[in-house]
Each structure stands twice: as C-alpha cells, then as structure tokens.
Amino acid sequence: MKTAKCRRWLIAIFAFLLLVAGGPGSLAPIAHAEEAIQLSVIAGIGGEYKENGIVPVQVSVTNGGADIEGELLVATGDRGNNEFSVGYYQSVSIAKGATKQVTITVPGSELSSNTYVALMKNGKIIAQTPVGGKRYNYDTLMVGVLAQSQDTANFLGVLPKNAVSYDVRVLPMKPEQIPTSGAQLQMINMLVLNNFALDTLNEQQIQAIRDWTKSGGLLVMAGGAQYKKTAGALADLSPVEVTGVTTVSSLSSLVADKNKPIELTAPFTISNGTLTKGKVLYAEGGVPLFAVQNAGEGKVLYAAYDLAEEPVASWAGNSRFWADTLIKAFGSSLDSSRMSNFDRLWPLQEAADRIPALKIPEVSWFALFFGVYALIAGPVLYFILRVKRKQSYMWVIVPGLAIVTGIGIFSFGAMQRGSGVMVHQTGFVQLTNDGQAKANAVTAFFVPSSGDYKVTIKGQGLSQPILESRRSDQIPKIWASIQADQSEIQFRDVEFWSMRKVASERTIPDAGTIESNLSYANGALTGTVTNKTNFTLKEVKVASSAQTQEFPELLPGASVEVNLPFQPSAQMRNNQKQRLATQLLPQRLQQTPREQSREEIMLDMVEYWQRRGVQSEVMIAGWTDQPIVEATVQNEKVKSDSISLITSALEVKPSKDGHVYYPVGTFDVTMSGSSVPVEDEGEGYRLPAGDITFDINLYRDEKKLSITNLYLYTWSDDNTPFSKEVYNWKTKAYEPFEKVFTNNVMTGDKAGSFLSADGIIRLKFAHQFGDHRHIGVPNVSVEGKVSNP
C-alpha cells in the first residue's frame, strides 16, 4: 500500500517537473504575451524587395496589454538550426491599446525566408512573426512608380527579352513609401514620376530622390499637361525647361515597329519646352518628346506626354519602343548588377586585417626570452642547486620559471597591443565629375579584452557588420541600427584579442574633383592635373592604357605635369586590365620580394571595376591616410590608422586644333538586342547559337565629332570565333565587318553610312556552336576632331 502511494507521489512530482521544465504550461507566459502583442510586417514595397541595397521593413505593433517598452528586432543572416547573425533594431514604447508603425531598414542581402521580427523586453522575446515577402535577385531591374494611376508604366514589366536580358519588376508606390534618405532608395534602380503631385512629399523625401538620382539612380519625369506639378522642386534636374502645353496631330518619330505605328484620331496633348542640357532623343515638329541628361552619376529622362494617356498607353509597340528608348537614354546604367555589393569588398576586408600596429613581436625578442629561459633553467639552476645540494628543487623551480616566462611573453605581447582598441580603416574612393565621390570602406577594430562594444559609423549610407564564421543563438549577438544620418552596431560578448569589422558605403557630396587639362598630340598625352579635393595624395600614378607616370605627392590645390607616350591602336585589352592594376602599385613596393602589402591587395578593387567597365582607361590613383568614413567606438580609448585609395577618371580634351582621342571607357556600349536568350556576365554575355547586337553611343558633350579613326577590339574569354557585322544606316542592312573595318580600324570616310544621325554604331556578333559561348562587350576608342554644332 505504501509502495503504491509512493509511486503515485513520484509520478505526480515527475509530471509537475515536466510541466515546469518543458511542458505546455511553460509556454503560457509567451503565449499570453503573443495574444497581447500583435505584429504585422511588410518588407520592401508591398512585400517585394531586392537582395541588394537597403530594404525598409515596416512593422505594425498593436498592444492589447499593459504599457511596454522594448526593442523591435529584425533577426537576419540565418545560418540554419535557428541561428541568426545580425539583428537590426529600433527602440519602441507602446501604450496600452495603441498601435504603432515602425520602419527598420535592413540590408536586402541579409533577408531570407527564416528572417523574423520580434518585440523584445529585457533580452527576452515577447512576440515574434516571420518577415515573409518576395525576394528578387540583385540583377532584377526594380522600377518604382509614383503616378495618379496604379497601372502607369506597366508596359515596362513586359520589355522584350531580346532587347533587355534581365528581369524587370514594376512597383507602384505610395508617397509614404518614399524614404527621407537617398541611401534608403537603393533598392530601386529606376523611379518614374508621372502625373503626380510632387508637393505631397515632404522636403526630406524630395531631397532623397535628388540624392538618389545624383548617386546613380535613373529618374523618368513625365506627365504631359500635368508635367509642372510632377516635376515640382526637381524641375532643375530635367533636360527640358517646360514653358507650357501644346498638341500634336501625329507621333511619327516614335517608331518601334513599322507594322505597329501609333494612330492618333485626335490631337494629342504634350508639354512644350526647350532643351537646356543633354540630348533630344525624339522630337515632333521641333518640340522635344524625349530628352536625357546626366545628373551626377545618375541620368534623367524627360517624356513630354502622360504615360497613362491613350492611345499611346495601349499602343502595341509601346514595350518595344521603351526598350529601345531606355537603352538609348540610360545605356549600361540599366545593368543593375553594377550596383554595389558588399561581397565585392573582399580586398578591403583582407587589407583591413593587416593592422600596422598589430605585429608579431620580432623573432629576436622571442629568441632572447627563450635563450634566457634556457640558460637559467639549464646550467645556471643546475650549478646553483648542485652547489647547495638541492637538486630535487628543480622539479618545482623549472615549472615555476616556465610559468613566469610564459607570463612575461604574454605581457610583452599585450604591451605591444596596448590597452585600447585598435581601429584600422581601408577605403576605396571613386571621384565623379560633379564634386561627389562614391566611397567604400571597411573598418576593423581589434579589442584587448572581452566584453560588449558599440561602433558608430556617421553619415548617410549603408553600413553593416561583416559576418565571420561565428555561431549565434536565435537572438543574435550583433545588433545594428541604420539611421538616416548614422549607423550604430553593437557587438556583444566579443572575445579578448579578437577582431570585428564593419563595411560601409557612402556618397561623399563635397569630395571635390581631380581637374585635368590633358590632350593627345604628337604621340603623347600631355597637360596638367590639379587636385581640387581635400585629400592629400601620396605615391600618385597617372595611367593611360599600359603607360603610367608616378608623382611623390599631390597636395590639395597643387598641380603636376603629365607626359605619357601613347598609340591610339594600343588600347586597353581585356586581359591587360589586371596588369594596369599592378602598375598602379607604388614603385617602392615593386622593387623587392615581400609579403603582399595592403596597397597591393586594395588595388584588386581597381581591377574589379575595370572589368565591370566602370573605370576609364585614363585615370589617376593615389593614397591617403585620411579616413573617409568617421567611425567611433563608444567609451573606449582608440588608436586609429587608415589607408584609402583615391581614384578618378581623367578627362581628355581636344588639342588647340580640335584634334582629340577618346580612349576606351569614354563611350557607352550596350546590348541592344539578341536572337536568343543571353546570360549577362558583366563584361560580356554567354549565349547559345545565335546573334547579339551592341550599340556604341558616340554622342558626347553636345559637340560634333568628325571621326578620323575608330578603333575596335573584340574578344571572348573562351576564345570563341564569332562572325561580325556592322549596320548600314543608309541601306538599313548589315554588312560584313571586314568590309567596314581594316585591321579593326574604321576610317572616317565610312562614318557617314555606319554612324546614325544620333551617333550610334551598331554591331552584330554571332556564333553557331552547339553549347553556350562567351562574347565580350567590345572596346572602342575614337580619334578625330570636334567642333561646336
């Protein structure tokens, strides 16, 4: 009887322990909290986002319980097994019965199907829900649309694949979805404004559109009779100054397919204006219909009509026409794969590991320590203890001496590292022609002791921690907050004597320019280069093709004289670009064998951008120890060091007699069509048996260019032999390449037939092999004379 009673008691106790430790009752507090707190999440724009750039995650929190203060956390970087790397957060305070909306900005590369949003209090999850949404690849062209009609610009989503090889996604936007920082618009490649009241946006949102455009965004401004309200405060970005409204009876210049013309049954309303800058693409009766101009690193396309107005909106040739127009207007800027990706910053990451102050002690010091130890632990101790007949003490003294020696070596290393945090920043800056600069940086910091550390990266832009092979729990140990003017990153439970790194991308609005007054004449590139930036440049090199000239330094405001030999036919080949990056290495580092230096590693950034066709063949590169991103470690004594590579394309001007040579990289070369699906590989395309068409846009600076010689270099990374043809704009037919080019040179007397009225040379390449083959984007340079129109 007693045994049965004891058994019942044991079962009851065991059941109670299960209930407390892991049974359903243990979930009661969280379940109750989740009932009190309701979370809903929308990622990106309407639940769609891109895997690069900054993605807004909008969280709506409804509090059905007591007042609560805590943090909203987006847990990202899922590595499987419910382990997350980074949490992007924002502090919140929600009253009882209230609903609050919070937008947390998160790098798109870190979002995945397992990403979740949680409301946390005192380090514990109160409620959580998955982020969800639809993710698009980095090479998707994302088009945001601000318009009166939600269906405006839907035709952009069905652009013909033989003209635009990448996917296009059109996203209607609401005013509240426009952020207050240009960096937070990075997810969008193109923004269409059409029949939209711009003044419904606040000043910060309008400035964000302006900043986004100047840093590389593609802006389309349209609206017809409503154009002025659409352009609003951004009217100065337009290539056309609109003075009023007019009508046209035909749109004969808008031709995409001769079998699908636009038929107007009534006068068609358009905005009326004059070109102030840039280039007119299409006109009707002298009135610009489409025009484009550069705005910093971005481009602005003007359209004179309302994109939603019939009969153009439902015109059967609309998508084909816009594919041609976008290629003509934006060229290679449409290639969204050129956009920044932190995975491409590995040279800066690797160089950041090499903190100059963090060096292994000299071998001689180790030899001295061990020599003294060996001397004392061996003959000295033996002699002393033998004299005193205490040899047995060796069993105690030698281990103790080993411990003291180890402590001494450890202390010496710690003394060399110091007691503060070592911060080392490596940067890569690309100066633009309008006083701005694109800057990438990796900031590494080495900590002397374990604990929590908070890093602040000041300025607008994207900053995110570089993930290492460290594992974490469901609640990440890295917390980050991307704000409009700075980013804060907390590293928790950092091990002593370890390193953490943060990658940053910024647009520097007041970087200045490298002004060049260079021209080609008599077999040389000559002239002056002036530093109009605030950077003190050292070990500067000016490069033209494979030739370089080095200068010890170039101070702000100072100039140097350039004299480099050149041959127009010796343009940069694709396989020579790595050699150019090597030649930019300072002379002192080329002379003797050595361990790979920070500078040599960082020059791989130039090689990458050269392969992408972003850098010009004529360029300048120099080094500075000025940090390009302001980084601080809160409440810590910091020892800082930095090195940055500053680069800029150099403009080549006509000589006094008008003679000019435009090197490779000057003109935009874009794919304009193909007979088969193609795979974009950045510097070229891979395609099955079929053909691909390239357009070379020779238009430049509103000046008339009379061609003397056009030099062309074609290539394939798998050495595929392919046929080549050139389009004759007079006969409207292709002709064999060898008939137009002799030894890859087209002389000026043939330009009249093979150069279109708006400065386009069209090439068709084809192969007939059974597998996919590579065809590279051709390199082109031009020699000739320029004159004002």
Side-chain angles (χ1 to χ4, degrees):
M1 189 76 176
K2 289 183 178 179
T3 303
K5 188 175 181 179
C6 289
R7 186 181 295 115
R8 287 196 299 269
W9 273 105
L10 287 173
I11 292 173
I13 292 171
F14 183 69
F16 174 76
L17 290 175
L18 282 176
L19 188 67
V20 172
S26 66
L27 298 177
I30 296 180
H32 177 73
E34 289 180 342
E35 290 175 2
I37 301 293
Q38 298 295 323
L39 301 176
S40 64
V41 183
I42 299 176
I45 300 173
E48 301 181 56
Y49 60 90
K50 196 172 176 180
E51 67 180 24
N52 63 334
I54 300 179
V55 176
V57 178
Q58 188 180 76
V59 185
S60 180
V61 188
T62 301
N63 183 8
D67 296 353
I68 189 170
E69 291 187 2
E71 295 87 22
L72 273 176
L73 180 80
V74 182
T76 69
D78 176 42
R79 301 183 180 190
N81 299 320
N82 208 27
E83 296 173 341
F84 295 84
S85 302
V86 185
Y88 293 85
Y89 76 98
Q90 185 170 323
S91 299
V92 292
S93 177
I94 311 168
K96 179 180 179 180
T99 297
K100 179 172 285 190
Q101 286 192 342
V102 176
T103 299
I104 302 174
T105 49
V106 179
S109 58
E110 294 301 297
L111 292 174
S112 69
S113 59
N114 294 327
T115 299
Y116 69 87
V117 174
L119 178 63
M120 302 192 65
K121 182 179 180 180
N122 299 327
K124 295 182 179 179
I125 296 177
I126 303 300
Q128 74 177 69
T129 189
V131 169
K134 186 173 182 180
R135 172 172 169 164
Y136 292 86
N137 293 333
Y138 72 93
D139 56 355
T140 301
L141 186 72
M142 300 289 273
V143 182
V145 180
L146 282 172
Q148 187 177 59
S149 171
Q150 291 287 299
D151 296 328
T152 300
N154 282 351
F155 54 83
L156 293 176
V158 289
L159 298 178
K161 287 291 185 181
N162 65 346
V164 178
S165 60
Y166 31 81
D167 293 331
V168 180
R169 181 58 183 152
V170 178
L171 300 175
M173 299 179 69
K174 299 176 181 178
E176 59 268 22
Q177 292 173 322
I178 298 294
T180 57
S181 166
Q184 295 177 5
L185 260 177
Q186 278 190 357
M187 191 188 79
I188 298 296
N189 303 106
M190 185 188 306
L191 180 62
V192 177
L193 304 178
N194 181 81
N195 194 6
F196 171 78
L198 192 69
D199 58 8
T200 57
L201 304 180
N202 60 43
E203 292 183 4
Q204 291 79 15
Q205 291 174 305
I206 294 173
Q207 186 62 40
I209 295 175
R210 182 183 297 275
D211 293 342
W212 165 82
T213 303
K214 288 190 172 183
S215 63
L218 307 177
L219 180 64
V220 178
M221 303 173 70
Q226 305 300 321
Y227 176 83
K228 285 196 172 183
K229 79 170 186 180
T230 303
L234 297 175
D236 60 300
L237 294 179
S238 174
V240 173
E241 181 180 359
V242 172
T243 56
V245 175
T246 187
T247 60
V248 292
S249 57
S250 71
L251 294 171
S252 57
S253 61
L254 306 189
V255 177
D257 186 337
K258 62 182 180 180
N259 296 320
K260 300 175 182 178
I262 303 176
E263 296 181 359
L264 298 182
T265 58
F268 188 75
T269 302
I270 62 172
S271 51
N272 189 13
T274 57
L275 183 75
T276 57
K277 47 201 167 185
K279 175 185 180 182
V280 173
L281 302 179
Y282 305 101
E284 194 72 35
V287 179
L289 292 180
F290 284 83
V292 65
Q293 69 125 353
N294 296 330
E297 289 297 291
K299 295 178 183 291
V300 180
L301 176 65
Y302 162 86
Y305 60 88
D306 185 339
L307 304 184
E309 188 172 349
E310 297 293 356
V312 179
S314 57
W315 171 35
N318 207 15
S319 292
R320 178 73 228 191
F321 167 76
W322 271 89
D324 294 342
T325 299
L326 292 179
I327 291 171
K328 188 180 293 187
F330 296 146
S332 58
S333 299
L334 283 171
D335 183 0
S336 57
S337 64
R338 294 174 184 268
M339 293 188 66
S340 169
N341 190 318
F342 282 141
D343 292 339
R344 301 167 184 167
L345 299 186
W346 65 264
L348 299 183
Q349 298 178 32
E350 186 175 339
D353 288 334
R354 306 193 177 207
I355 303 178
L358 191 62
K359 295 181 178 179
I360 297 176
E362 296 290 338
V363 175
S364 57
W365 285 105
F366 280 114
L368 178 62
F369 270 116
F370 285 110
V372 171
Y373 167 75
L375 182 65
I376 294 176
V380 173
L381 268 179
Y382 178 79
F383 178 77
I384 294 174
L385 295 179
R386 182 181 179 186
V387 169
K388 295 185 176 291
R389 299 182 181 276
K390 303 289 184 182
Q391 289 97 325
S392 60
Y393 285 13
M394 291 280 286
W395 296 100
V396 176
I397 296 175
V398 171
L401 184 61
I403 293 173
V404 171
T405 303
I407 292 173
I409 293 175
F410 178 86
S411 301
F412 180 74
M415 182 179 66
Q416 279 204 324
R417 287 176 169 84
S419 59
V421 175
M422 293 184 183
V423 176
H424 181 221
Q425 185 180 112
T426 54
F428 179 62
V429 178
Q430 296 170 286
L431 296 168
T432 61
N433 59 4
D434 63 344
Q436 295 191 125
K438 292 181 178 179
N440 291 102
V442 171
T443 304
F445 65 100
F446 181 88
V447 301
S449 58
S450 59
D452 298 341
Y453 293 85
K454 183 177 180 180
V455 179
T456 300
I457 309 292
K458 296 188 177 180
Q460 292 188 2
L462 175 60
S463 294
Q464 68 181 77
I466 295 175
L467 304 182
E468 306 288 351
S469 57
R470 299 180 177 88
R471 305 182 71 83
S472 183
D473 298 323
Q474 182 181 9
I475 300 176
K477 291 187 177 180
I478 304 175
W479 284 41
S481 175
I482 302 176
Q483 303 168 17
D485 57 347
Q486 66 180 26
S487 297
E488 295 180 351
I489 300 169
Q490 300 176 24
F491 294 91
R492 302 180 177 184
D493 297 333
V494 179
E495 306 88 352
F496 81 99
W497 283 16
S498 63
M499 189 181 295
R500 297 292 187 271
K501 287 178 278 191
V502 178
S504 302
E505 180 184 87
R506 293 284 186 273
T507 295
I508 304 176
D510 54 353
T513 61
I514 301 291
E515 185 179 278
S516 60
N517 186 17
L518 302 173
S519 60
Y520 286 108
N522 301 321
L525 174 67
T526 59
T528 60
V529 172
T530 304
N531 181 3
K532 291 195 173 182
T533 74
N534 293 322
F535 295 113
T536 297
L537 303 180
K538 300 177 181 178
E539 297 177 308
V540 179
K541 283 199 172 183
V542 175
S544 173
S545 188
Q547 301 290 330
T548 62
Q549 183 177 355
E550 185 169 355
F551 305 93
E553 65 178 8
L554 185 57
L555 301 176
S559 300
V560 292
E561 293 287 338
V562 175
N563 191 334
L564 280 172
F566 94 102
Q567 292 179 351
S569 59
Q571 59 186 312
M572 184 66 67
R573 303 293 193 258
N574 191 67
N575 57 4
Q576 291 178 320
K577 293 179 179 179
Q578 183 176 2
R579 186 157 59 93
L580 173 63
T582 303
Q583 289 178 335
L584 292 176
L585 191 67
Q587 190 64 34
R588 63 179 175 84
L589 297 176
Q590 295 181 359
Q591 295 173 347
T592 57
R594 71 210 176 283
E595 180 186 6
Q596 196 174 27
S597 63
R598 294 182 299 173
E599 293 88 343
E600 189 170 0
I601 297 170
M602 292 169 65
L603 279 169
D604 283 332
M605 293 292 294
V606 176
E607 180 188 343
Y608 170 77
W609 290 109
Q610 284 277 5
R611 286 201 309 269
R612 302 297 297 178
V614 176
Q615 288 279 7
S616 170
E617 183 178 324
V618 181
M619 62 178 296
I620 186 170
W623 304 88
T624 183
D625 56 8
Q626 299 168 236
I628 61 172
V629 173
E630 185 178 351
T632 60
V633 183
Q634 184 174 310
N635 301 324
E636 295 290 339
K637 180 182 177 182
V638 171
K639 180 180 180 181
S640 298
D641 191 10
S642 65
I643 182 172
S644 295
L645 174 60
I646 314 296
T647 67
S648 177
L650 296 178
E651 182 183 5
V652 178
K653 298 180 179 179
S655 61
K656 292 182 179 180
D657 62 355
H659 180 268
V660 67
Y661 172 72
Y662 291 122
V664 170
T666 303
F667 303 109
D668 208 10
V669 182
T670 57
M671 189 199 85
S672 58
S674 65
S675 63
V676 291
V678 301
E679 300 172 14
D680 186 355
E681 296 189 351
E683 79 284 3
Y685 296 85
R686 196 165 296 276
L687 63 154
D691 61 65
I692 185 171
T693 304
F694 293 100
D695 280 1
I696 304 170
N697 188 351
L698 299 185
Y699 171 81
R700 183 179 172 83
D701 297 337
E702 296 96 37
K703 293 181 179 179
K704 185 177 180 181
L705 172 62
S706 176
I707 296 175
T708 303
N709 290 306
L710 186 144
Y711 304 91
L712 193 71
Y713 168 63
T714 59
W715 60 284
S716 167
D717 66 5
D718 52 19
N719 297 317
T720 295
F722 49 89
S723 63
K724 295 174 279 190
E725 296 178 296
V726 188
Y727 190 71
N728 188 319
W729 295 93
K730 288 186 176 180
T731 63
K732 308 296 182 183
Y734 283 96
E735 298 189 14
F737 181 83
E738 293 75 15
K739 181 179 177 180
V740 184
F741 284 80
T742 302
N743 296 325
N744 293 320
V745 179
M746 182 183 80
T747 55
D749 59 305
K750 297 177 181 178
S753 299
F754 299 96
L755 183 67
S756 71
D758 51 358
I760 301 293
I761 290 180
R762 179 163 293 171
L763 306 171
K764 181 187 288 186
F765 301 157
H767 80 82
Q768 299 302 322
F769 292 91
D771 56 344
H772 282 66
R773 294 298 184 95
H774 180 270
I775 295 180
V777 176
N779 293 341
V780 61
S781 59
V782 176
E783 186 179 12
K785 285 192 174 185
V786 296
S787 60
N788 292 323

